Structures are given as structure tokens and as C-alpha cells.
């Protein structure tokens, strides 16, 4: 198509120039300009314009950058595209950047999957008796989803340490997020509402292809404690 438009452009302008020259010569000799010359010159100009427009359009399309479809530029159903070491490093980077003391991860306890298990491996880190993080790996040994477990009285608003850990996980899975962005996610879920009773809801929000959900497990009858769960998964 490039050659066709180029030919139309060149031939059109040559023909237009020739007809225009005839008109000018006729005017100089004070002869009457013929109608067919005017129509012919207009037709040649239109043909040349079509050729020029086609050339410019093809040239513009050929120079536009393609859309990046590499895994690093998007989140898909395979997971977060980070290894357990990368997860730990990003988590600790967020802790250091925003001075979230007491939440650093020293070493993740990675467990290989057995033939009877559906997952491809898990990892865990215990911050305290009341707080731990658990992750699931995909077949490429990348982090596929993470869950934060906390024990306590769910009838009261979430504690500061639990909310800080939630924010840190959000920052870990979104390298472009700030702490304010993480707080916005927590606010969307409803954990920052006044007088919130965590037993009253199972809420979630979706951001950038990730689903953030907060829910409560069945109450521990022996210890009279609730198990709160904050999880990050790829949105379906």
C-alpha cells in the first residue's frame, strides 16, 4: 500500500502541475480558461492529496510503539511475579521506608508441597503469637497469594500493629503505591470506619487487578478469640 499511495501522490502532483501550467499560459495569452482544465486540475489535486494522506497514515502507524505485554508490566492469574526472597525484600523495604518498626521479616519458612496438596508450596512468617503471614506459591515458585492472620477480639476496631502489617503487605504487592495509597485501600474495605465491628462484615476491594479482602474465621471456643484474615489475591 505504501507504493500505491506514493505513486498516486507523485503522479497526482505532476499532473496537477502540468494542468496548472496550461492554465497559467492561457491566462498570459489572454485566452479563456476552459472548464475541463479546471476540473482536471481539481481531480489531479485530489488524487495527489489522497496519496499524501495515505503515505502519512502508514508512516505514523509504523512508528507507534507496541503495547508491552511482558509479565513484569501486568498482573495476571499466575501471581504477583515475585519470588519469596523478593517478597521478603520488598516487605522489609516498605518497613524501612515508612519506619514501620517491629515488622521486619528475617527468614521465611518455605514449605515444599507434597503430592497430596493442591498448591505448589507455601511460606510462613510469625511476627508474634497474635500475628503471622502465610503465602502460597505457584508452579514457578512465585508468590501467588498472601494472607495475614491475626487473633483477638473482632468486636473491637483492628489494632495498630495489624493495620500497619496490612498496609505493609499492600505496599509489598504494589511497588508504585505510597503509604497513603495503602490507607485508601484499607479505607475502601471499611477497617478505618469509626466504631467498626469486624464481625459485621466480609468486605473486599479491587485495585490494579488485585483483590484485597478482610474476613473473620469461626471463633476459637477454647480461647474465646477470633481469627481475622486479610488476604491479597489476583482478581478473577
Amino acid at each position: 500500500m505504501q507504493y500505491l499511495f506514493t505513486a498516486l501522490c507523485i503522479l497526482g502532483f505532476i499532473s496537477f502541475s502540468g494542468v496548472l501550467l496550461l492554465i497559467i499560459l492561457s491566462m498570459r495569452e489572454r485566452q479563456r480558461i476552459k472548464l475541463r482544465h479546471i476540473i482536471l486540475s481539481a481531480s489531479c489535486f485530489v488524487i495527489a492529496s489522497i496519496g499524501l494522506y495515505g503515505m502519512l497514515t502508514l508512516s505514523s502507524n509504523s512508528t507507534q510503539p507496541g503495547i508491552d505485554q511482558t509479565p513484569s508490566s501486568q498482573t495476571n492469574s499466575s501471581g504477583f511475579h515475585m519470588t519469596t526472597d523478593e517478597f521478603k525484600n520488598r516487605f522489609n523495604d516498605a518497613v524501612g521506608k515508612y519506619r514501620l518498626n517491629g515488622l521486619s521479616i528475617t527468614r521465611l519458612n518455605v514449605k515444599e508441597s507434597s503430592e497430596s496438596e493442591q498448591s505448589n508450596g507455601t511460606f510462613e512468617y510469625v511476627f508474634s503469637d497474635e500475628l503471622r503471614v502465610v503465602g502460597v506459591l505457584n508452579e514457578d515458585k512465585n508468590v501467588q497469594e498472601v494472607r495475614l492472620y491475626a487473633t483477638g477480639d473482632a468486636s473491637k476496631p483492628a489494632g495498630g500493629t495489624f493495620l500497619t502489617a496490612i498496609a505493609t503487605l499492600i505496599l509489598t504487592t504494589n511497588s508504585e503505591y505510597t503509604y497513603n495509597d495503602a490507607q485508601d485501600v484499607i479505607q475502601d474495605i471499611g477497617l478505618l470506619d469509626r466504631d467498626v465491628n469486624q464481625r459485621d462484615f466480609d468486605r473486599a476491594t479491587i485495585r490494579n487487578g488485585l483483590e484485597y479482602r478482610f474476613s473473620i474465621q469461626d471463633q476459637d471456643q477454647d480461647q474465646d478469640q477470633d481469627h481475622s484474615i486479610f488476604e491479597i489475591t489476583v482478581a478473577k
Side-chain angles (χ1 to χ4, degrees), residues 199-215:
R199 292 197 185 109
D200 291 343
F201 66 87
D202 178 351
R203 300 182 185 176
T205 185
I206 295 177
R207 296 283 191 92
N208 296 335
L210 297 178
E211 180 180 89
Y212 305 90
R213 177 176 295 276
F214 182 88
S215 59

Side-chain angles (χ1 to χ4, degrees), residues 85-122:
D85 285 340
E86 290 171 334
F87 173 84
K88 182 190 71 172
N89 292 336
R90 291 187 188 183
F91 189 96
N92 290 338
D93 287 345
V95 169
K97 181 177 182 180
Y98 296 101
R99 299 180 180 179
L100 309 176
N101 299 329
L103 285 176
S104 296
I105 296 175
T106 54
R107 183 177 181 273
L108 290 174
N109 181 19
V110 181
K111 178 183 177 182
E112 298 292 336
S113 62
S114 62
E115 295 182 359
S116 60
E117 293 177 332
Q118 295 181 351
S119 67
N120 292 278
T122 60

